[in-house]
Amino acid sequence: AVRFSDYSTVGNTTAWEGRFELAPIDQVMLRGSVSRAVRAPNVDELFDPGTQTFAQVNDPCAGVTATTPGVTANNCRSIPAIAARIAATGAFTLTQPELQGTSGFLGGNPDLQEEKADTWTVGIVYTPDFLPAGLDVSTTLDWFDIEIEDAIFTVTQNNVLDLCYSDPNFPNNPLCGNIVRFPSGLPQQGALDEVNSGTANVGSIKGAGLDWALNIDFEPEAFGLGIPGLLSLNTIYTYVDENEIVNLPGTAPDNERGEIGDPKHRWNANLRYTTGNLIVQYQLRYIGKGRIEDTDLSDEDCADLDCTTGAETYSDIQVRYTIPQMIAQGELEVFGGVENLFDNDPPLVSAGLSDSDTGTETVAGIYDAIGRAFYLGAKLRF
């Protein structure tokens, strides 16, 4: 399969995929795929007008003297306002107001290009045919590998400064155009006035892992148990072998594997009983232990704050019943359930840590911060 697209923003893109399936015997099927996927930037990433900030940035030129060696120092001295200040005072020393008074805008970037992903998978499907009538079983095992290039990330203001002034091709680095300094002749000559930033195609992501799924359908009546209906079990388990993000070219990869939201182990299981118009379902959700994303925490900090969370298992139940022919040929479905059946408390993630959501003292997007919850509903189809 091949798809050609033409966007008004990024122009032409091409995505493609190839798959194979091979069944050497009826019970076993081997499968695999290789593909190139693309994602065009969204409206916010392209056209966010920007939000003004007054961040405390780290000026790479601070402290540079007439004799400071290195590419960064040479680039700093090539700026007339900085050179004039060094000549007058012996060093480019910034005052506290100058250090804290840098303005800037963080917003979108209309020059963004599409993200590109190269993926491949290989797996096996096993469906035994020797089981008795009334019992159907299938299981799948798949390995996946994903690499994303030109990933769209937000370039911080400090990143803009570091990448600009460490570049031997200064000032031709495109990021240097986002930096504005006070001109010569002013008391604050050479100090940063604005550092603007936003989104850019600067990142890369690598991920790999294993998916295992098991599906079982069981008819009790076929085994003489005298219970009508169908009992089904569907479960899927994911093992993450690699999850690395490079935020900027040349920087060390950030290992996301095992962090909160990206556990090494995760699985869901659904046990469902269906008879006539009645469906009863029990769901089990397992989230493996997580590591808080705060690379600057010391061992002592972790001893005081606990930098990891334990594994969490949530149980949910739901009952659905369909009443046919409520209105002419229509039908009414009523349903209700309980989420977080055993009222698990979320793991504590202290305020101030990067993963903690304000006001919850946990990671509310991953763990249940509300507790046991009940719901009722109805759907009318006609």
Side-chain angles (χ1 to χ4, degrees):
V2 180
R3 173 183 289 173
F4 299 99
S5 303
D6 183 11
Y7 293 87
S8 62
T9 52
V10 300
N12 297 326
T13 67
T14 303
W16 54 266
E17 180 182 27
R19 295 183 183 180
F20 79 87
E21 293 181 354
L22 174 65
I25 59 175
D26 290 341
Q27 303 176 55
V28 176
M29 183 179 70
L30 307 177
R31 64 186 182 184
S33 68
V34 59
S35 67
R36 159 63 65 92
V38 298
R39 185 186 77 86
N42 60 40
V43 172
D44 187 62
E45 292 167 337
L46 286 164
F47 304 118
D48 181 353
T51 302
Q52 189 173 20
T53 69
F54 291 89
Q56 183 169 348
V57 297
N58 299 316
D59 189 342
C61 297
V64 169
T65 68
T67 58
T68 302
V71 173
T72 297
N74 290 334
N75 290 337
C76 292
R77 284 190 293 264
S78 69
I79 300 171
I82 293 180
R85 193 157 172 174
I86 292 174
T89 63
F92 185 61
T93 303
L94 298 169
T95 65
Q96 193 65 27
E98 290 172 339
L99 289 170
Q100 296 179 328
T102 304
S103 177
F105 287 85
L106 300 178
N109 178 1
D111 296 323
L112 289 176
Q113 294 299 304
E114 71 276 11
E115 296 179 332
K116 306 178 186 69
D118 292 317
T119 71
W120 62 266
T121 66
V122 62
I124 184 172
V125 181
Y126 178 57
T127 308
D129 59 4
F130 55 81
L131 299 175
L135 179 61
D136 294 320
V137 177
S138 67
T139 185
T140 64
L141 191 67
D142 293 281
W143 181 269
F144 60 86
D145 188 282
I146 304 169
E147 292 190 16
I148 302 176
E149 298 295 334
D150 298 323
I152 298 172
F153 291 146
T154 297
V155 181
T156 68
Q157 291 161 296
N158 280 316
N159 291 150
V160 169
L161 290 165
D162 292 338
L163 292 173
C164 170
Y165 289 107
S166 63
D167 191 342
N169 294 319
F170 174 89
N172 296 322
N173 187 313
L175 292 175
C176 296
N178 294 329
I179 302 171
V180 180
R181 292 183 179 272
F182 289 101
S184 300
L186 296 179
Q188 64 269 49
Q189 61 180 350
L192 291 169
D193 182 14
E194 287 186 9
V195 180
N196 301 309
S197 186
T199 53
N201 296 97
V202 292
S204 63
I205 303 172
K206 291 184 178 181
L210 186 71
D211 284 333
W212 172 75
L214 174 66
N215 301 296
I216 301 174
D217 289 331
F218 174 66
E219 298 178 30
E221 280 189 323
F223 292 85
L225 298 180
I227 302 174
L230 178 67
L231 191 64
S232 301
L233 174 65
N234 309 106
T235 183
I236 184 168
Y237 161 78
T238 298
Y239 167 73
V240 177
D241 184 68
E242 180 183 22
N243 186 8
E244 287 188 347
I245 296 177
V246 177
N247 292 286
L248 292 167
T251 60
D254 179 10
N255 179 24
E256 300 278 331
R257 178 177 180 257
E259 289 186 352
I260 294 175
D262 296 287
K264 298 178 184 178
H265 307 278
R266 182 194 293 266
W267 58 268
N268 288 349
N270 288 282
L271 182 63
R272 183 172 59 255
Y273 175 67
T274 304
T275 178
N277 296 325
L278 176 67
I279 301 175
V280 181
Q281 179 171 290
Y282 173 72
Q283 182 183 49
L284 204 61
R285 296 176 285 134
Y286 174 86
I287 304 172
K289 65 180 181 180
R291 182 181 71 254
I292 294 173
E293 185 178 9
D294 243 307
T295 55
D296 58 346
L297 290 175
S298 66
D299 292 339
E300 292 181 358
D301 292 332
C302 288
D304 294 335
L305 298 174
D306 190 2
C307 292
T308 60
T309 64
E312 288 290 329
T313 304
Y314 294 104
S315 295
D316 309 316
I317 60 172
Q318 185 185 82
V319 178
R320 290 180 173 269
Y321 187 76
T322 301
I323 306 173
Q325 297 181 344
M326 286 293 294
I327 300 178
Q329 299 300 315
E331 62 180 27
L332 175 67
E333 181 187 57
V334 293
F335 58 89
V338 184
E339 294 183 348
N340 193 358
L341 178 63
F342 300 109
D343 199 22
N344 291 23
D345 291 328
L348 176 65
V349 179
S350 300
L353 298 178
S354 60
D355 282 319
S356 182
D357 293 318
T358 303
T360 67
E361 303 298 312
T362 190
V363 188
I366 304 299
Y367 304 111
D368 184 356
I370 298 175
R372 185 187 296 117
F374 303 84
Y375 62 91
L376 291 171
K379 292 181 180 179
L380 179 63
R381 301 183 182 93
F382 58 92

PDB file of all heavy atoms in Angstrom, residues 6-11 40-41 46-47 110 112-113:
ATOM      1  N   ASP A   6      -0.782  15.656  -0.338  1.00  0.00           N
ATOM      2  CA  ASP A   6      -0.323  17.019  -0.617  1.00  0.00           C
ATOM      3  C   ASP A   6      -0.974  17.954   0.388  1.00  0.00           C
ATOM      4  O   ASP A   6      -2.179  18.171   0.350  1.00  0.00           O
ATOM      5  CB  ASP A   6      -0.692  17.416  -2.046  1.00  0.00           C
ATOM      6  CG  ASP A   6      -0.172  18.800  -2.402  1.00  0.00           C
ATOM      7  OD1 ASP A   6       0.637  19.349  -1.623  1.00  0.00           O
ATOM      8  OD2 ASP A   6      -0.577  19.329  -3.452  1.00  0.00           O
ATOM      9  N   TYR A   7      -0.165  18.482   1.320  1.00  0.00           N
ATOM     10  CA  TYR A   7      -0.653  19.389   2.349  1.00  0.00           C
ATOM     11  C   TYR A   7      -0.352  20.833   1.954  1.00  0.00           C
ATOM     12  O   TYR A   7       0.689  21.124   1.351  1.00  0.00           O
ATOM     13  CB  TYR A   7       0.029  19.100   3.695  1.00  0.00           C
ATOM     14  CG  TYR A   7      -0.318  17.774   4.310  1.00  0.00           C
ATOM     15  CD1 TYR A   7       0.402  16.624   3.981  1.00  0.00           C
ATOM     16  CD2 TYR A   7      -1.343  17.665   5.242  1.00  0.00           C
ATOM     17  CE1 TYR A   7       0.093  15.399   4.551  1.00  0.00           C
ATOM     18  CE2 TYR A   7      -1.656  16.444   5.820  1.00  0.00           C
ATOM     19  CZ  TYR A   7      -0.936  15.316   5.471  1.00  0.00           C
ATOM     20  OH  TYR A   7      -1.241  14.100   6.048  1.00  0.00           O
ATOM     21  N   SER A   8      -1.246  21.740   2.333  1.00  0.00           N
ATOM     22  CA  SER A   8      -0.997  23.160   2.076  1.00  0.00           C
ATOM     23  C   SER A   8       0.114  23.705   2.969  1.00  0.00           C
ATOM     24  O   SER A   8       0.620  24.794   2.729  1.00  0.00           O
ATOM     25  CB  SER A   8      -2.282  23.965   2.300  1.00  0.00           C
ATOM     26  OG  SER A   8      -2.707  23.848   3.652  1.00  0.00           O
ATOM     27  N   THR A   9       0.493  22.937   3.997  1.00  0.00           N
ATOM     28  CA  THR A   9       1.510  23.412   4.948  1.00  0.00           C
ATOM     29  C   THR A   9       2.882  22.796   4.674  1.00  0.00           C
ATOM     30  O   THR A   9       3.871  23.509   4.553  1.00  0.00           O
ATOM     31  CB  THR A   9       1.080  23.070   6.383  1.00  0.00           C
ATOM     32  OG1 THR A   9       0.762  21.667   6.463  1.00  0.00           O
ATOM     33  CG2 THR A   9      -0.130  23.880   6.787  1.00  0.00           C
ATOM     34  N   VAL A  10       2.963  21.481   4.573  1.00  0.00           N
ATOM     35  CA  VAL A  10       4.271  20.821   4.451  1.00  0.00           C
ATOM     36  C   VAL A  10       4.537  20.312   3.047  1.00  0.00           C
ATOM     37  O   VAL A  10       5.621  19.791   2.766  1.00  0.00           O
ATOM     38  CB  VAL A  10       4.393  19.651   5.458  1.00  0.00           C
ATOM     39  CG1 VAL A  10       4.240  20.160   6.867  1.00  0.00           C
ATOM     40  CG2 VAL A  10       3.374  18.545   5.156  1.00  0.00           C
ATOM     41  N   GLY A  11       3.573  20.424   2.156  1.00  0.00           N
ATOM     42  CA  GLY A  11       3.787  19.968   0.789  1.00  0.00           C
ATOM     43  C   GLY A  11       3.479  18.494   0.617  1.00  0.00           C
ATOM     44  O   GLY A  11       2.589  17.939   1.260  1.00  0.00           O
ATOM     45  N   ALA A  40       1.743  15.021   9.674  1.00  0.00           N
ATOM     46  CA  ALA A  40       1.883  16.449   9.416  1.00  0.00           C
ATOM     47  C   ALA A  40       1.649  17.223  10.708  1.00  0.00           C
ATOM     48  O   ALA A  40       0.851  16.804  11.558  1.00  0.00           O
ATOM     49  CB  ALA A  40       0.891  16.896   8.352  1.00  0.00           C
ATOM     50  N   PRO A  41       2.337  18.325  10.920  1.00  0.00           N
ATOM     51  CA  PRO A  41       2.133  19.113  12.138  1.00  0.00           C
ATOM     52  C   PRO A  41       0.707  19.629  12.226  1.00  0.00           C
ATOM     53  O   PRO A  41       0.071  19.923  11.208  1.00  0.00           O
ATOM     54  CB  PRO A  41       3.144  20.261  12.002  1.00  0.00           C
ATOM     55  CG  PRO A  41       3.468  20.324  10.543  1.00  0.00           C
ATOM     56  CD  PRO A  41       3.349  18.934  10.033  1.00  0.00           C
ATOM     57  N   LEU A  46       1.877  24.591  14.348  1.00  0.00           N
ATOM     58  CA  LEU A  46       2.249  25.489  13.257  1.00  0.00           C
ATOM     59  C   LEU A  46       1.996  26.959  13.576  1.00  0.00           C
ATOM     60  O   LEU A  46       2.852  27.808  13.333  1.00  0.00           O
ATOM     61  CB  LEU A  46       1.461  25.118  11.996  1.00  0.00           C
ATOM     62  CG  LEU A  46       1.877  23.848  11.262  1.00  0.00           C
ATOM     63  CD1 LEU A  46       0.773  23.424  10.302  1.00  0.00           C
ATOM     64  CD2 LEU A  46       3.177  24.074  10.501  1.00  0.00           C
ATOM     65  N   PHE A  47       0.816  27.252  14.126  1.00  0.00           N
ATOM     66  CA  PHE A  47       0.361  28.640  14.132  1.00  0.00           C
ATOM     67  C   PHE A  47       0.049  29.210  15.510  1.00  0.00           C
ATOM     68  O   PHE A  47      -0.581  30.265  15.598  1.00  0.00           O
ATOM     69  CB  PHE A  47      -0.883  28.768  13.232  1.00  0.00           C
ATOM     70  CG  PHE A  47      -0.656  28.283  11.832  1.00  0.00           C
ATOM     71  CD1 PHE A  47      -1.382  27.212  11.328  1.00  0.00           C
ATOM     72  CD2 PHE A  47       0.297  28.876  11.024  1.00  0.00           C
ATOM     73  CE1 PHE A  47      -1.179  26.762  10.037  1.00  0.00           C
ATOM     74  CE2 PHE A  47       0.513  28.433   9.731  1.00  0.00           C
ATOM     75  CZ  PHE A  47      -0.226  27.368   9.238  1.00  0.00           C
ATOM     76  N   PRO A 110       5.596  28.007  11.584  1.00  0.00           N
ATOM     77  CA  PRO A 110       4.976  27.701  10.282  1.00  0.00           C
ATOM     78  C   PRO A 110       5.900  26.980   9.318  1.00  0.00           C
ATOM     79  O   PRO A 110       5.445  26.526   8.253  1.00  0.00           O
ATOM     80  CB  PRO A 110       4.576  29.077   9.745  1.00  0.00           C
ATOM     81  CG  PRO A 110       5.492  30.034  10.441  1.00  0.00           C
ATOM     82  CD  PRO A 110       5.749  29.456  11.797  1.00  0.00           C
ATOM     83  N   LEU A 112       7.518  24.181  10.050  1.00  0.00           N
ATOM     84  CA  LEU A 112       7.641  22.772  10.430  1.00  0.00           C
ATOM     85  C   LEU A 112       7.407  21.854   9.231  1.00  0.00           C
ATOM     86  O   LEU A 112       6.635  22.164   8.324  1.00  0.00           O
ATOM     87  CB  LEU A 112       6.619  22.430  11.524  1.00  0.00           C
ATOM     88  CG  LEU A 112       6.852  22.991  12.916  1.00  0.00           C
ATOM     89  CD1 LEU A 112       5.680  22.634  13.824  1.00  0.00           C
ATOM     90  CD2 LEU A 112       8.154  22.466  13.509  1.00  0.00           C
ATOM     91  N   GLN A 113       8.079  20.699   9.270  1.00  0.00           N
ATOM     92  CA  GLN A 113       7.854  19.643   8.295  1.00  0.00           C
ATOM     93  C   GLN A 113       7.238  18.426   9.000  1.00  0.00           C
ATOM     94  O   GLN A 113       7.120  18.401  10.224  1.00  0.00           O
ATOM     95  CB  GLN A 113       9.166  19.259   7.611  1.00  0.00           C
ATOM     96  CG  GLN A 113       9.746  20.369   6.749  1.00  0.00           C
ATOM     97  CD  GLN A 113       8.805  20.777   5.622  1.00  0.00           C
ATOM     98  OE1 GLN A 113       8.385  19.948   4.815  1.00  0.00           O
ATOM     99  NE2 GLN A 113       8.468  22.063   5.556  1.00  0.00           N
TER     100      GLN A 113
END
